[in-house]
Amino acid sequence: MILISHRGNLNGADCENNPDGVLKALKEYEVEVDLWNINNKLFLGHDSPKYPIEKEFLFNEKLWIHCKNLEAVEFLLNN
């Protein structure tokens, strides 16, 4: 069985898509995150791009990436 933390939440919606919370959740679970690519800059966030990240943040086999815009899909396909 695979346990997946939704947006990095461990105790309710306390840290949705927050990179620090995601990293904490990754210590015990796989994690679904919401990815945006705006003007070739990457962000995590559910309803909008909220937390800037570097592309290296995504290089983790335990992440489940939900692309929130077509540019995010294109980024993943090309990287």
Side-chain angles (χ1 to χ4, degrees):
M1 176 186 329
I2 297 172
L3 298 177
I4 303 171
S5 171
H6 190 242
R7 302 182 191 133
N9 294 325
L10 296 176
N11 298 307
D14 56 342
C15 63
E16 278 200 354
N17 286 297
N18 180 311
D20 292 334
V22 170
L23 291 173
K24 182 177 178 183
L26 282 168
K27 292 177 183 177
E28 298 183 50
Y29 307 99
E30 296 194 10
V31 178
E32 181 267 337
V33 295
D34 298 309
L35 178 67
W36 298 81
N37 182 351
I38 307 293
N39 297 322
N40 294 315
K41 294 181 182 173
L42 300 174
F43 297 87
L44 298 181
H46 178 65
D47 294 322
S48 62
K50 186 171 182 180
Y51 300 102
I53 60 166
E54 298 296 325
K55 69 179 181 180
E56 291 78 14
F57 185 88
L58 301 173
F59 299 157
N60 188 313
E61 293 180 357
K62 291 173 61 177
L63 282 179
W64 295 70
I65 302 170
H66 176 192
C67 294
K68 300 298 277 189
N69 63 357
L70 182 57
E71 293 82 2
V73 174
E74 291 170 345
F75 169 81
L76 290 179
L77 288 173
N78 293 315
N79 288 279

